[in-house]
Amino acid sequence: MSSGKILVAQGGGPTAVINQSLAGVALEARRFGGDITRVYGALHGVRGIVNEDFIDLSGETTANLELVAATPSSALGSTRDKPDVAYCQEIFKVLRAHEIEQFYYIGGNDSSDTVRIVSEQARLADYALRCMHIPKTIDNDLVGNDHTPGFPSAARFVAQAFAGANLDNAALPGVYVGVVMGRHAGFLTAAAALGRKFPGDGPHLIYLPERVFSLEQFLQDVKATHARHGRCVIAVSEGIHDASGTAIASLLAKDVERDAHGNVQLSGTGALADLLCDEIKAKLGIKRVRGDTFGYLQRSFMGCVSDVDQREAREVGEKAVQFAMWGGRDGSVAIRRSGQYATEYDLLALEAVAGKTRVMEDELISASGTDVTPAFELYLRPLLGSGMPDGFRLRAAPVAKILKP
């Protein structure tokens, strides 16, 4: 006899719209009446599943779910645990003990791989468990997707932040370096280009992990740009690396911090921005040099959310439930683009997404490797949503000098 129980969890870095997907699952499940009797949420992702830390979302009011949906960050809490087969076997044991029939995991690359392994464990045990991956990542690096929920809102923040940094830099000229998240994919850093309005606006230089980074060429680029504009605004991905693939942060830093997976710690510190600023001051002799690391700011920033992103994040949650109930197979929900700008949804095989990383396509990056192409701007602009703010300039004519002609 069917239990009608489903479980939803959130994994990886929070986003501004991940709770829309959570609400999409919870509210869409109610449309199926007796076929779905309980909607459980796991606290702190897969760690909460293993620890059996569940809450019952079935009694949440629609009004409160809608309020939570419009709130950034992960309402259920998240985790950075990266499950292996043994870990996923423990997940499956808990799901089976609680008679869970559908498992929804909202997350990125690692989360999709977790869903794949759990799905395999269910098949091996001949246990009827529908496993659905719901896409989420500000890095925009899930294969098979035109774009990924969470990215448009983070990109909107980056574009607006660089628009403001450019105005600041124009008022008090110097060199500004903004380091943006992105270990392997440069989509988020590239979004800085959408902050430009007038010719000569920054960012004047954009450095992405899809291209090899040379410190010597970087300094030449900065010197030439500063000479041409009297200032220079630079967007840099945290994942820039040399020809050998070694992160520039680890080459410049004396002490290298690593995360739980052995990766060089790129996020959450100002190391790369400070190190690049130090190189500019020391090698080019430019005195006014400032750097910022966007770090976590872009992930869950309130008041800077794309309405397009909100809508699509809700819809991937809803579609996951529909695919689970009507599709007859496990999979990963994917966003497709059509027409001038419209979206369709597909269900990809978990093996097609799990553990894979999408990077920026060559046609989106300029030949110089220090900018994006018009194709990228056309790709990103509709995702940023409505009401993007604009900055303007004075157009008054100069007054002739008398004492200092």
Side-chain angles (χ1 to χ4, degrees), residues 23-37:
V25 171
L27 293 174
E28 186 67 12
R30 294 178 181 181
R31 295 183 61 242
F32 289 88
D35 292 331
I36 297 177
T37 60

mmCIF file with all atom_site columns, all heavy atoms in Angstrom, residues 23-37:
data_model
loop_
_atom_site.group_PDB
_atom_site.id
_atom_site.type_symbol
_atom_site.label_atom_id
_atom_site.label_alt_id
_atom_site.label_comp_id
_atom_site.label_asym_id
_atom_site.label_entity_id
_atom_site.label_seq_id
_atom_site.pdbx_PDB_ins_code
_atom_site.Cartn_x
_atom_site.Cartn_y
_atom_site.Cartn_z
_atom_site.occupancy
_atom_site.B_iso_or_equiv
_atom_site.pdbx_formal_charge
_atom_site.auth_seq_id
_atom_site.auth_comp_id
_atom_site.auth_asym_id
_atom_site.auth_atom_id
_atom_site.pdbx_PDB_model_num
ATOM 1   N N   . ALA A 1 23 ? 8.730  25.899 -2.139  1.00 0.00 ? 23 ALA A N   1
ATOM 2   C CA  . ALA A 1 23 ? 7.298  26.162 -2.127  1.00 0.00 ? 23 ALA A CA  1
ATOM 3   C C   . ALA A 1 23 ? 6.615  25.521 -3.326  1.00 0.00 ? 23 ALA A C   1
ATOM 4   O O   . ALA A 1 23 ? 5.479  25.031 -3.226  1.00 0.00 ? 23 ALA A O   1
ATOM 5   C CB  . ALA A 1 23 ? 7.036  27.669 -2.109  1.00 0.00 ? 23 ALA A CB  1
ATOM 6   N N   . GLY A 1 24 ? 7.306  25.520 -4.467  1.00 0.00 ? 24 GLY A N   1
ATOM 7   C CA  . GLY A 1 24 ? 6.752  24.893 -5.659  1.00 0.00 ? 24 GLY A CA  1
ATOM 8   C C   . GLY A 1 24 ? 6.458  23.420 -5.434  1.00 0.00 ? 24 GLY A C   1
ATOM 9   O O   . GLY A 1 24 ? 5.400  22.915 -5.833  1.00 0.00 ? 24 GLY A O   1
ATOM 10  N N   . VAL A 1 25 ? 7.386  22.717 -4.767  1.00 0.00 ? 25 VAL A N   1
ATOM 11  C CA  . VAL A 1 25 ? 7.170  21.301 -4.460  1.00 0.00 ? 25 VAL A CA  1
ATOM 12  C C   . VAL A 1 25 ? 6.018  21.139 -3.471  1.00 0.00 ? 25 VAL A C   1
ATOM 13  O O   . VAL A 1 25 ? 5.089  20.349 -3.690  1.00 0.00 ? 25 VAL A O   1
ATOM 14  C CB  . VAL A 1 25 ? 8.459  20.673 -3.879  1.00 0.00 ? 25 VAL A CB  1
ATOM 15  C CG1 . VAL A 1 25 ? 8.170  19.264 -3.343  1.00 0.00 ? 25 VAL A CG1 1
ATOM 16  C CG2 . VAL A 1 25 ? 9.558  20.617 -4.928  1.00 0.00 ? 25 VAL A CG2 1
ATOM 17  N N   . ALA A 1 26 ? 6.068  21.890 -2.373  1.00 0.00 ? 26 ALA A N   1
ATOM 18  C CA  . ALA A 1 26 ? 5.075  21.724 -1.308  1.00 0.00 ? 26 ALA A CA  1
ATOM 19  C C   . ALA A 1 26 ? 3.660  22.045 -1.779  1.00 0.00 ? 26 ALA A C   1
ATOM 20  O O   . ALA A 1 26 ? 2.702  21.322 -1.450  1.00 0.00 ? 26 ALA A O   1
ATOM 21  C CB  . ALA A 1 26 ? 5.446  22.608 -0.122  1.00 0.00 ? 26 ALA A CB  1
ATOM 22  N N   . LEU A 1 27 ? 3.519  23.120 -2.551  1.00 0.00 ? 27 LEU A N   1
ATOM 23  C CA  . LEU A 1 27 ? 2.180  23.543 -2.972  1.00 0.00 ? 27 LEU A CA  1
ATOM 24  C C   . LEU A 1 27 ? 1.661  22.701 -4.139  1.00 0.00 ? 27 LEU A C   1
ATOM 25  O O   . LEU A 1 27 ? 0.464  22.391 -4.193  1.00 0.00 ? 27 LEU A O   1
ATOM 26  C CB  . LEU A 1 27 ? 2.198  25.022 -3.351  1.00 0.00 ? 27 LEU A CB  1
ATOM 27  C CG  . LEU A 1 27 ? 2.463  25.981 -2.184  1.00 0.00 ? 27 LEU A CG  1
ATOM 28  C CD1 . LEU A 1 27 ? 2.605  27.418 -2.672  1.00 0.00 ? 27 LEU A CD1 1
ATOM 29  C CD2 . LEU A 1 27 ? 1.344  25.880 -1.141  1.00 0.00 ? 27 LEU A CD2 1
ATOM 30  N N   . GLU A 1 28 ? 2.559  22.323 -5.043  1.00 0.00 ? 28 GLU A N   1
ATOM 31  C CA  . GLU A 1 28 ? 2.119  21.487 -6.165  1.00 0.00 ? 28 GLU A CA  1
ATOM 32  C C   . GLU A 1 28 ? 1.700  20.109 -5.665  1.00 0.00 ? 28 GLU A C   1
ATOM 33  O O   . GLU A 1 28 ? 0.754  19.500 -6.200  1.00 0.00 ? 28 GLU A O   1
ATOM 34  C CB  . GLU A 1 28 ? 3.234  21.357 -7.198  1.00 0.00 ? 28 GLU A CB  1
ATOM 35  C CG  . GLU A 1 28 ? 2.841  20.636 -8.481  1.00 0.00 ? 28 GLU A CG  1
ATOM 36  C CD  . GLU A 1 28 ? 1.832  21.398 -9.331  1.00 0.00 ? 28 GLU A CD  1
ATOM 37  O OE1 . GLU A 1 28 ? 1.592  22.597 -9.051  1.00 0.00 ? 28 GLU A OE1 1
ATOM 38  O OE2 . GLU A 1 28 ? 1.287  20.799 -10.275 1.00 0.00 ? 28 GLU A OE2 1
ATOM 39  N N   . ALA A 1 29 ? 2.388  19.612 -4.623  1.00 0.00 ? 29 ALA A N   1
ATOM 40  C CA  . ALA A 1 29 ? 2.046  18.299 -4.073  1.00 0.00 ? 29 ALA A CA  1
ATOM 41  C C   . ALA A 1 29 ? 0.600  18.270 -3.581  1.00 0.00 ? 29 ALA A C   1
ATOM 42  O O   . ALA A 1 29 ? -0.069 17.222 -3.656  1.00 0.00 ? 29 ALA A O   1
ATOM 43  C CB  . ALA A 1 29 ? 3.003  17.952 -2.938  1.00 0.00 ? 29 ALA A CB  1
ATOM 44  N N   . ARG A 1 30 ? 0.108  19.400 -3.087  1.00 0.00 ? 30 ARG A N   1
ATOM 45  C CA  . ARG A 1 30 ? -1.262 19.448 -2.550  1.00 0.00 ? 30 ARG A CA  1
ATOM 46  C C   . ARG A 1 30 ? -2.311 19.255 -3.641  1.00 0.00 ? 30 ARG A C   1
ATOM 47  O O   . ARG A 1 30 ? -3.445 18.858 -3.352  1.00 0.00 ? 30 ARG A O   1
ATOM 48  C CB  . ARG A 1 30 ? -1.489 20.782 -1.831  1.00 0.00 ? 30 ARG A CB  1
ATOM 49  C CG  . ARG A 1 30 ? -0.621 20.929 -0.593  1.00 0.00 ? 30 ARG A CG  1
ATOM 50  C CD  . ARG A 1 30 ? -0.800 22.255 0.105   1.00 0.00 ? 30 ARG A CD  1
ATOM 51  N NE  . ARG A 1 30 ? 0.088  22.334 1.283   1.00 0.00 ? 30 ARG A NE  1
ATOM 52  C CZ  . ARG A 1 30 ? 0.143  23.363 2.107   1.00 0.00 ? 30 ARG A CZ  1
ATOM 53  N NH1 . ARG A 1 30 ? -0.637 24.423 1.905   1.00 0.00 ? 30 ARG A NH1 1
ATOM 54  N NH2 . ARG A 1 30 ? 0.971  23.357 3.129   1.00 0.00 ? 30 ARG A NH2 1
ATOM 55  N N   . ARG A 1 31 ? -1.930 19.526 -4.867  1.00 0.00 ? 31 ARG A N   1
ATOM 56  C CA  . ARG A 1 31 ? -2.874 19.371 -5.972  1.00 0.00 ? 31 ARG A CA  1
ATOM 57  C C   . ARG A 1 31 ? -3.169 17.903 -6.279  1.00 0.00 ? 31 ARG A C   1
ATOM 58  O O   . ARG A 1 31 ? -4.121 17.595 -6.997  1.00 0.00 ? 31 ARG A O   1
ATOM 59  C CB  . ARG A 1 31 ? -2.330 20.056 -7.222  1.00 0.00 ? 31 ARG A CB  1
ATOM 60  C CG  . ARG A 1 31 ? -2.190 21.561 -7.101  1.00 0.00 ? 31 ARG A CG  1
ATOM 61  C CD  . ARG A 1 31 ? -1.722 22.188 -8.408  1.00 0.00 ? 31 ARG A CD  1
ATOM 62  N NE  . ARG A 1 31 ? -2.659 21.951 -9.483  1.00 0.00 ? 31 ARG A NE  1
ATOM 63  C CZ  . ARG A 1 31 ? -2.390 21.272 -10.594 1.00 0.00 ? 31 ARG A CZ  1
ATOM 64  N NH1 . ARG A 1 31 ? -1.204 20.737 -10.771 1.00 0.00 ? 31 ARG A NH1 1
ATOM 65  N NH2 . ARG A 1 31 ? -3.304 21.113 -11.533 1.00 0.00 ? 31 ARG A NH2 1
ATOM 66  N N   . PHE A 1 32 ? -2.324 17.012 -5.747  1.00 0.00 ? 32 PHE A N   1
ATOM 67  C CA  . PHE A 1 32 ? -2.506 15.589 -6.044  1.00 0.00 ? 32 PHE A CA  1
ATOM 68  C C   . PHE A 1 32 ? -3.266 14.844 -4.958  1.00 0.00 ? 32 PHE A C   1
ATOM 69  O O   . PHE A 1 32 ? -3.297 13.622 -4.933  1.00 0.00 ? 32 PHE A O   1
ATOM 70  C CB  . PHE A 1 32 ? -1.141 14.944 -6.306  1.00 0.00 ? 32 PHE A CB  1
ATOM 71  C CG  . PHE A 1 32 ? -0.545 15.377 -7.610  1.00 0.00 ? 32 PHE A CG  1
ATOM 72  C CD1 . PHE A 1 32 ? 0.245  16.512 -7.681  1.00 0.00 ? 32 PHE A CD1 1
ATOM 73  C CD2 . PHE A 1 32 ? -0.811 14.680 -8.772  1.00 0.00 ? 32 PHE A CD2 1
ATOM 74  C CE1 . PHE A 1 32 ? 0.788  16.929 -8.891  1.00 0.00 ? 32 PHE A CE1 1
ATOM 75  C CE2 . PHE A 1 32 ? -0.283 15.086 -9.987  1.00 0.00 ? 32 PHE A CE2 1
ATOM 76  C CZ  . PHE A 1 32 ? 0.518  16.217 -10.050 1.00 0.00 ? 32 PHE A CZ  1
ATOM 77  N N   . GLY A 1 33 ? -3.865 15.601 -4.027  1.00 0.00 ? 33 GLY A N   1
ATOM 78  C CA  . GLY A 1 33 ? -4.788 15.039 -3.054  1.00 0.00 ? 33 GLY A CA  1
ATOM 79  C C   . GLY A 1 33 ? -4.251 13.840 -2.315  1.00 0.00 ? 33 GLY A C   1
ATOM 80  O O   . GLY A 1 33 ? -3.148 13.852 -1.767  1.00 0.00 ? 33 GLY A O   1
ATOM 81  N N   . GLY A 1 34 ? -5.028 12.745 -2.325  1.00 0.00 ? 34 GLY A N   1
ATOM 82  C CA  . GLY A 1 34 ? -4.673 11.552 -1.567  1.00 0.00 ? 34 GLY A CA  1
ATOM 83  C C   . GLY A 1 34 ? -3.454 10.819 -2.079  1.00 0.00 ? 34 GLY A C   1
ATOM 84  O O   . GLY A 1 34 ? -2.905 9.960  -1.370  1.00 0.00 ? 34 GLY A O   1
ATOM 85  N N   . ASP A 1 35 ? -3.022 11.095 -3.305  1.00 0.00 ? 35 ASP A N   1
ATOM 86  C CA  . ASP A 1 35 ? -1.825 10.432 -3.833  1.00 0.00 ? 35 ASP A CA  1
ATOM 87  C C   . ASP A 1 35 ? -0.570 10.854 -3.078  1.00 0.00 ? 35 ASP A C   1
ATOM 88  O O   . ASP A 1 35 ? 0.404  10.106 -3.014  1.00 0.00 ? 35 ASP A O   1
ATOM 89  C CB  . ASP A 1 35 ? -1.660 10.736 -5.323  1.00 0.00 ? 35 ASP A CB  1
ATOM 90  C CG  . ASP A 1 35 ? -2.750 10.083 -6.168  1.00 0.00 ? 35 ASP A CG  1
ATOM 91  O OD1 . ASP A 1 35 ? -3.248 9.018  -5.746  1.00 0.00 ? 35 ASP A OD1 1
ATOM 92  O OD2 . ASP A 1 35 ? -3.086 10.640 -7.220  1.00 0.00 ? 35 ASP A OD2 1
ATOM 93  N N   . ILE A 1 36 ? -0.574 12.078 -2.546  1.00 0.00 ? 36 ILE A N   1
ATOM 94  C CA  . ILE A 1 36 ? 0.523  12.555 -1.707  1.00 0.00 ? 36 ILE A CA  1
ATOM 95  C C   . ILE A 1 36 ? -0.078 12.950 -0.368  1.00 0.00 ? 36 ILE A C   1
ATOM 96  O O   . ILE A 1 36 ? -0.838 13.917 -0.270  1.00 0.00 ? 36 ILE A O   1
ATOM 97  C CB  . ILE A 1 36 ? 1.257  13.750 -2.353  1.00 0.00 ? 36 ILE A CB  1
ATOM 98  C CG1 . ILE A 1 36 ? 1.904  13.320 -3.674  1.00 0.00 ? 36 ILE A CG1 1
ATOM 99  C CG2 . ILE A 1 36 ? 2.324  14.300 -1.406  1.00 0.00 ? 36 ILE A CG2 1
ATOM 100 C CD1 . ILE A 1 36 ? 2.597  14.445 -4.418  1.00 0.00 ? 36 ILE A CD1 1
ATOM 101 N N   . THR A 1 37 ? 0.261  12.199 0.674   1.00 0.00 ? 37 THR A N   1
ATOM 102 C CA  . THR A 1 37 ? -0.355 12.411 1.979   1.00 0.00 ? 37 THR A CA  1
ATOM 103 C C   . THR A 1 37 ? 0.481  13.281 2.914   1.00 0.00 ? 37 THR A C   1
ATOM 104 O O   . THR A 1 37 ? -0.062 13.967 3.782   1.00 0.00 ? 37 THR A O   1
ATOM 105 C CB  . THR A 1 37 ? -0.582 11.057 2.677   1.00 0.00 ? 37 THR A CB  1
ATOM 106 O OG1 . THR A 1 37 ? 0.685  10.385 2.843   1.00 0.00 ? 37 THR A OG1 1
ATOM 107 C CG2 . THR A 1 37 ? -1.509 10.182 1.853   1.00 0.00 ? 37 THR A CG2 1
#
